[in-house]
Amino acid sequence: MNHSHSNHGMSTSMDTASDPHADHQHHTTAMPGHDHSGMNMHMTFYFGYQHVELLFSGLTINTAGEMAGAFVAVFLLAMFYEGLKIGRESLLRKSQVSIRYNSMPLPGPNGTTLMETHKTVGQQMLSLPHLLQTVLHIVQVVVSYFLMLIFMTYNGYLCIAVAAGAGTGYFFFSWKKAVVVDITEHCH
């Protein structure tokens, strides 16, 4: 049943938009001004290699070969992300410029005096190492969001590439690293 008002047999979009009784069952998920030419945005995991948009609208996977290439590229990007995290941590340890040792006398048993020593590490804000850390942090954030957006395509092949690349990167880059919980970890 059509409740739209007519202007001499012609209906306008303003008529149906302003009519509270109009039939508004034509909902789309596309943003105004974006023509996706029949491409669907998947909301569940799927394994396919045709019409898969990867990060940018012009970067579309349409063949098995393109998916294989994308898999390798995403795998290497995830490995790079893990290497970047470990590299930044190593660089930070090497760039700590001022190390001070503060000793405090403490009363010990039987009237003796014990010396307790604390190590204080600092870094200058306006220094080349801190500037490099800042630039690398920006790169790390951008790469982590790219990996997250790739995973959010829900394409099974690309999700496996992200997970396998991150695992392989961790295996190769963090074997020397001390076990530390990183509370500044970005999402992947």
Side-chain angles (χ1 to χ4, degrees):
M1 178 175 203
N2 186 0
H3 293 284
S4 63
H5 299 283
S6 93
N7 293 335
H8 303 289
M10 302 187 81
S11 176
T12 65
S13 61
M14 291 300 285
D15 293 333
T16 58
S18 62
D19 184 3
H21 301 291
D23 185 13
H24 293 287
Q25 294 183 7
H26 301 288
H27 299 289
T28 62
T29 57
M31 301 268 306
H34 291 84
D35 179 22
H36 289 282
S37 303
M39 292 190 183
N40 295 328
M41 188 169 122
H42 292 272
M43 298 306 288
T44 58
F45 289 100
Y46 70 101
F47 286 88
Y49 58 83
Q50 293 182 334
H51 307 294
V52 179
E53 284 188 349
L54 186 63
L55 294 178
F56 303 101
S57 61
L59 188 57
T60 305
I61 299 167
N62 287 312
T63 67
E66 290 174 351
M67 180 56 79
F71 184 95
V72 170
V74 169
F75 181 89
L76 292 175
L77 184 65
M79 277 187 66
F80 170 74
Y81 174 75
E82 292 296 324
L84 182 60
K85 287 192 319 184
I86 302 302
R88 281 190 59 221
E89 185 178 298
S90 174
L91 186 63
L92 182 62
R93 279 195 301 270
K94 290 178 184 176
S95 70
Q96 294 170 338
V97 292
S98 61
I99 300 174
R100 289 179 290 175
Y101 294 94
N102 299 325
S103 297
M104 298 175 55
L106 297 173
N110 301 329
T112 61
T113 303
L114 301 174
M115 295 299 284
E116 184 176 276
T117 304
H118 297 276
K119 179 178 167 182
T120 305
V121 179
Q123 186 176 11
Q124 295 175 346
M125 186 170 85
L126 298 175
S127 65
L128 187 61
H130 184 64
L131 179 64
L132 181 61
Q133 280 286 340
T134 302
V135 170
L136 291 176
H137 177 74
I138 292 168
V139 171
Q140 182 180 345
V141 168
V142 169
V143 170
S144 70
Y145 281 121
F146 277 179
L147 291 171
M148 178 192 67
L149 290 171
I150 290 168
F151 205 92
M152 288 176 61
T153 64
Y154 290 103
N155 183 283
Y157 300 120
L158 297 178
C159 292
I160 290 170
V162 169
T168 304
Y170 182 84
F171 178 79
F172 281 119
F173 295 117
S174 70
W175 64 275
K176 285 191 196 178
K177 176 184 153 185
V179 177
V180 176
V181 176
D182 184 7
I183 61 171
T184 64
E185 174 87 19
H186 300 286
C187 60
H188 337 214

